[in-house]
Amino acid sequence: MTSSPEPEGSQGPVARVLDAADISRVVGRISHEILERTNGPADVVLLGIQTRGVPFARRIAVRMGEIEGAEIPVGSLDITMYRDDIRLRGPRPLEPTEIPAGGLDDRIVVLVDDVLYSGRTVRAALDAISDVGRPRAVQLAVLVDRGHRELPIRADYVGKNLPTSLAQSVRVHLSETDDVDEVLVLGGGA
Amino acid sequence: MSVVLRSARPYGEEPVDVALENGVIAAIAAPGTLPAGDLEVDAAGLVLLPGLVDLHTHLREPGREDAETIETGTRAAALGGFTAVHAMANTQPVADTAGVVEMVWRRGVEAGHCDVHPVGAVTVGLGGEHLAELGAMADSAARVRVFSDDGVCVSDPVIMRRALEYVKAFDGVIAQHAQEPRLTQGAQMNEGALSGLLGLAGWPAVAEEAIIARDVLLAAHVGSRVHICHLSTAGSVDIVRYAKARGIDVTAEVTPHHLILTEDLAATYDPVFKVNPPLRTEADVMAVREGLEDGTIDAVATDHAPHAHEDKDCEWAAGAFGMLGLQTALSIVVDTMVRTGRLDWRDVADRMSVRPARIGRLGDQGRPIAVGESASLVLLDPAASWTVDPTALASRSRNTPFAGRELPARVVATFLRGRPTVLDGALA
Amino acid sequence: MRHLLSTTDLTREDALLILDTAAELARVTDRAVKKLPTLRGRTVVNLFFEDSTRTRISFEAAAKRLSADVITFSAKGSSVSKGESLKDTALTLEAMGADAVVVRHQASGAPYRLAHSGWVGCSVVNAGDGTHEHPTQALLDAFTLREHLGDLQGRRIVIVGDVLHSRVARSNAHLLSTLGACVTLVAPPTLLPVGVETWPCAVSYDLDEALEGADAVMMLRVQNERMNAAFFPSTHEYSRRYGLDTRRAALLSDDAVVLHPGPMNRGMEISADVADGARSVIVEQVTNGVSVRMAVLYLVLGARAEDQGGLLPAAEAVPA
Ligand SMILES: [Zn+2]
């Protein structure tokens, strides 16, 4: 999730920290790392967190498939109903949750999101997963880790560690949803 | 005690000084020419009218003293410029005997804020089946001349015919609450597109008009007079106009709220806007204004209907029918009829005092402003405006539909046979 | 959306948000764990002044699946039946800390009054008020129709029966029109409200003609008390002129569906073979009711903080 508390328009300077080539390299590296850590793709299921975790997960699944010559199960997870801030932020439209046909039981589930920030989204995702099945292990892959964790959660695979200030916000654009591949840091002195 | 009103404008016309003494108007003279009275009232800029007469007031006593008493209701009346009110018969017990009407009449005299003329029930217990002892009520100390089952329609045509005939013996009048009961079973609001949308049972105009049509024909047939309470639809105005053109002895009243409010207010589901007959459409409002202007409608009558808080602070269907009216009536008439150029001050006196007094056969009310006439008068400030605060009204209840509304004209003083009941806008 | 009182308050976007949310939530029903933690710690009160086991159970299930605490007051066995006023009951609920109240009441407008009188500060959901509206029923009907017909834009839907007294008809007429459907009301003229020509629907007295090629038909229940109140001469004549039987069902388009808000008078407004036939989606309506009510509770309760002035800046961040 890339939600950030700053309203649009108060951005100040904009810095592009990853471009399309960088993102493509990240996808390749994380794909290799996952295969390495999980000893091959046999039990791996990728679950992208709505919204931008989903195209990112699909890209990783495709790359893993190319490397291994096998189809990697990939799905999507909407964690809206598991959020702890509904009272504060109000309701949002739900996005589809698609669990691959084989389910999650006894699988190694790799949660995939675009930005790791407070960790609350991941916490919600872990709750959501436990209502759907009982994986053998759950790992986490993110495109960007911008720090400022509020929960004891860390990523297993990180595209880029991005030290940011709380005044800044991080925007991930992926061509599937935004017509362009890039990661921007807005505001502060980035 | 003598009172001198300085520079008052009778019927809004040229300023004069008016002296009140021994219950009558003792002198009318050019400003500054009369000797000082015991009480001097600076009436510069104020309009002087004969005291207002209400043909239709619910004072709730006996029975619902939690909603209103004769004391509180007549205070509201005096503050509203009234010097006489007709107290409707639907009390508990019903005013269907000489005993009850005399009790109401006596309480009115004791309160002293305005004359209280009890209306007698037409039928025993408002049951619609047996004529009440109309003659006994007419002969009582209360000298009842207006009879009504108001709240309920005298729907049985035979009973209505007999009542119309019977009251001829003492020059009485039947005031009909025109509501065909079968057509209005469970009815909650005016029937139309809005009632269909809101899912509230509709109250068709025809349920009022059919009874009025029947009753003017009955009155013509038996040669009696009939009065139509709170007429509310364009069709009713047409029927009364037709009847009058045919020489039928019919009179009619309209309430202030039907001169200004429309059914749209039902969409709030707030029972403060629930009233019988229901608020109607804009076209009906325009038609009753027209009827009042051309004299088809004789009188404005408040249908002042106080209700306890819990009877209005509820869902629509559970709410009681009725609205307060005594303290806002004159302002609503000024707003809807004077400011729009439909009535001048003489017309206001005619519709709110002269004709209602004549219909009720009240000898010393609704009299001209002339030397020797009874000194029941009201002084009002036509240039003032005020905002309706339900908690500031004299009524024991709060169910005014005009809360928060700014209204024109304010009653400054009221005199009942020369005695001030209201001075400087407060009870004297 | 702080309250759900009437379908006339819903824009097309609002309605689609509810229906799309319900569609996602419906999938939870297929899981092993049917519960979501969304409304944990929130209290939903079901206040049923009029007995309706079906609707009450549906709302209870919806609230429980969202982990809300549920308190039910129903007509039987509580102060509600002893003539306690709506206001007094509401004040009790407020004191109990209700976050939302789901109200069924015999008086049209009672939920509106509850929401606007200042008696309570919580959200109000109309679970059927008098002869006014039953918005969640209409939403579940629309949900069911969308499952079968897809987008309702331009679809022809016929609603048959006692429109005058039916809150289901009122809610559906407006909601389905908002969703782009062409709605035709069919009833004897005695059972159509005055002013129905101002509704966003066509009106017909001829059921055969209206059914010809229609995509769906919704049969309304004829209440027993109407049968002896001169709205129509006899149940036999009603059934013959306005009942749905196999011959009439055959006039519908090929993929058409038959709905009924229940409970049915089999043999009266609908014949048993049609009620239980292949086109009938009456059982699905019940299942879909839970998902739709979950969506409504989620959206209504989630709206609270925002509508009360908000704890966040007005320009809440949108995911980039
Ligand atoms: Zn009346």
Side-chain angles (χ1 to χ4, degrees), chain B residues 64 96 148 219 323:
Chain B
R64 282 308 297 267
D96 58 1
S148 181
M323 302 173 165

Side-chain angles (χ1 to χ4, degrees), chain B residues 191-201 267-272 309 312-318, chain C residues 8 86-87 105-110 112-113 117 119 129-133 170 174 193-195 198-199:
Chain B
E191 183 163 82
L194 187 61
S195 64
L197 196 66
L198 296 176
L200 291 172
T268 64
Y269 289 108
D270 183 343
V272 78
H309 186 64
K312 285 292 192 179
D313 194 30
C314 56
E315 61 276 19
W316 183 275
Chain C
T8 59
L86 176 65
K87 182 189 176 185
H105 201 284
Q106 61 280 0
S108 297
Y112 184 96
R113 188 87 175 109
S117 59
W119 302 333
D129 60 329
T131 55
H132 178 225
E133 286 227 27
R170 261 173 199 74
H174 291 105
V194 166
T198 63
W199 294 20

Side-chain angles (χ1 to χ4, degrees), chain A residues 2-32:
Chain A
T2 50
S3 310
S4 48
E6 296 84 359
E8 298 274 1
S10 64
Q11 302 165 349
V14 177
R16 178 187 287 172
V17 292
L18 295 175
D19 62 15
D22 298 329
I23 291 172
S24 175
R25 269 193 296 279
V26 165
V27 168
R29 178 164 55 74
I30 289 181
S31 300
H32 280 288

Side-chain angles (χ1 to χ4, degrees), chain C residues 26-170:
Chain C
R27 302 170 61 180
V28 174
T29 311
D30 304 331
R31 308 188 323 198
V33 179
K34 292 184 170 49
K35 209 160 171 151
L36 292 165
T38 318
L39 299 182
R40 207 172 50 196
R42 318 293 293 277
T43 301
V44 174
V45 174
N46 286 319
L47 184 54
F48 278 62
F49 284 84
E50 207 181 60
D51 202 20
S52 169
T53 311
R54 297 152 53 101
T55 306
R56 178 173 54 76
I57 288 177
S58 182
F59 268 108
E60 275 178 17
K64 285 177 177 167
R65 284 197 185 165
L66 293 173
S67 302
D69 294 323
V70 182
I71 299 171
T72 296
F73 284 78
S74 54
K76 292 195 175 76
S78 80
S79 60
V80 167
S81 59
K82 297 180 198 122
E84 185 169 345
S85 74
L86 176 65
K87 182 189 176 185
D88 291 338
T89 310
L91 295 178
T92 308
L93 303 183
E94 182 78 345
M96 294 170 81
D99 294 292
V101 52
V102 173
V103 61
R104 158 76 62 114
H105 201 284
Q106 61 280 0
S108 297
Y112 184 96
R113 188 87 175 109
L114 202 52
H116 292 94
S117 59
W119 302 333
V120 294
C122 63
S123 293
V124 178
V125 176
N126 182 358
D129 60 329
T131 55
H132 178 225
E133 286 227 27
H134 192 356
T136 59
Q137 175 71 42
L139 284 161
L140 77 88
D141 290 335
F143 183 95
T144 307
L145 287 167
R146 268 162 49 104
E147 298 263 284
H148 288 271
L149 306 176
D151 188 355
L152 299 184
Q153 186 67 41
R155 291 297 197 152
R156 286 190 44 221
I157 298 165
V158 182
I159 300 177
V160 188
D162 183 1
V163 176
L164 177 61
H165 301 97
S166 173
R167 49 195 174 208
V168 176
R170 261 173 199 74

Side-chain angles (χ1 to χ4, degrees), chain B residues 56 58 150-151 177 229-230 276-277 303:
Chain B
H56 196 145
H58 296 274
D150 183 62
H177 171 113
C229 293
H230 44 53
N276 176 349
D303 197 5

